Amino acid sequence: MLSIYHFDTPLSDNCLLTEQYLQNISEKIERSHHLFFVPIISESMMNIIKESIVLSEPCVDKPEDKITLVYRLILDFKAAQIEGNKKARALLIELQKSLLTDKKSYSLDLVTDVAKMVNLNIQDFLYNRNSSETVQSILDDQQLAHDMLTKIQPTVAIDDAFILNTQILTNFSVDDLLPAFLPHIDNHKTQTKTVESSVNLA
């Protein structure tokens, strides 16, 4: 089994581009594998989470600053993940595209529309996005990041259970990522628009 982890903060520089690249390249991997997006959070965001736990208050649907907005996105992502990683990844990518590319404002209507687009159960999703279990899953992700990484920063980790090896990539470009995936790609088929770029991702 091959496990691919992308540790990054939604809306940060090149996070969306890296996610899209990994989605693209993972479709060409012939081995059994899983792709995980693992949001990493700042100390300021951790304080917001702790406060919300103490006060038992849900995160607002109209964030007034970027920290709260990113936290809201992560909650949405983790709530969607209850229905599967594939749907959760699609939700996170589409929300970031709406906010960054289409310059839309974050709103409950926007989130609901995207949730419908990726075929989530809307009633369950709207409940889960403010549940204590979803908040706990964010904290669990932070523990995973601390366990796998020596430094918390944008990282792609490729964990190969067959050879008991984990490759850690930081400060990477597409040119750096591609060789790491070539041994796992069917017939080395890499003719994708994303792969042609050498822009720095992290």
Side-chain angles (χ1 to χ4, degrees), residues 52-174:
S52 70
I53 293 174
V54 171
L55 299 177
S56 298
E57 293 181 351
C59 184
V60 295
D61 283 323
K62 292 185 178 180
E64 297 181 355
D65 54 60
K66 186 173 181 180
I67 293 175
T68 309
L69 171 59
V70 172
Y71 177 39
R72 184 69 269 180
L73 279 178
I74 295 174
L75 282 169
D76 294 336
F77 168 70
K78 298 304 293 184
Q81 201 170 49
I82 293 173
E83 293 190 45
N85 280 311
K86 186 174 182 179
K87 289 183 179 180
R89 293 195 308 266
L91 178 92
L92 185 59
I93 285 176
E94 290 302 324
L95 282 176
Q96 288 182 98
K97 284 167 59 178
S98 295
L99 296 170
L100 296 173
T101 306
D102 301 335
K103 306 299 183 184
K104 294 181 180 179
S105 297
Y106 181 92
S107 67
L108 181 57
D109 286 342
L110 173 64
V111 175
T112 303
D113 287 344
V114 174
K116 291 177 180 177
M117 181 191 309
V118 301
N119 296 316
L120 290 174
N121 180 307
I122 300 302
Q123 183 176 354
D124 289 348
F125 170 70
L126 293 178
Y127 171 80
N128 290 328
R129 66 196 291 270
N130 285 313
S131 71
S132 58
E133 290 80 8
T134 299
V135 175
Q136 183 58 50
S137 70
I138 295 174
L139 300 179
D140 292 343
D141 275 354
Q142 305 321 296
Q143 186 60 54
L144 175 64
H146 283 281
D147 290 345
M148 291 191 69
L149 309 178
T150 56
K151 181 180 179 181
I152 303 302
Q153 61 182 322
T155 302
V156 171
I158 306 171
D159 184 31
D160 192 334
F162 182 71
I163 60 174
L164 299 179
N165 178 65
T166 302
Q167 186 175 4
I168 302 293
L169 303 170
T170 60
N171 192 30
F172 46 80
S173 69
V174 170

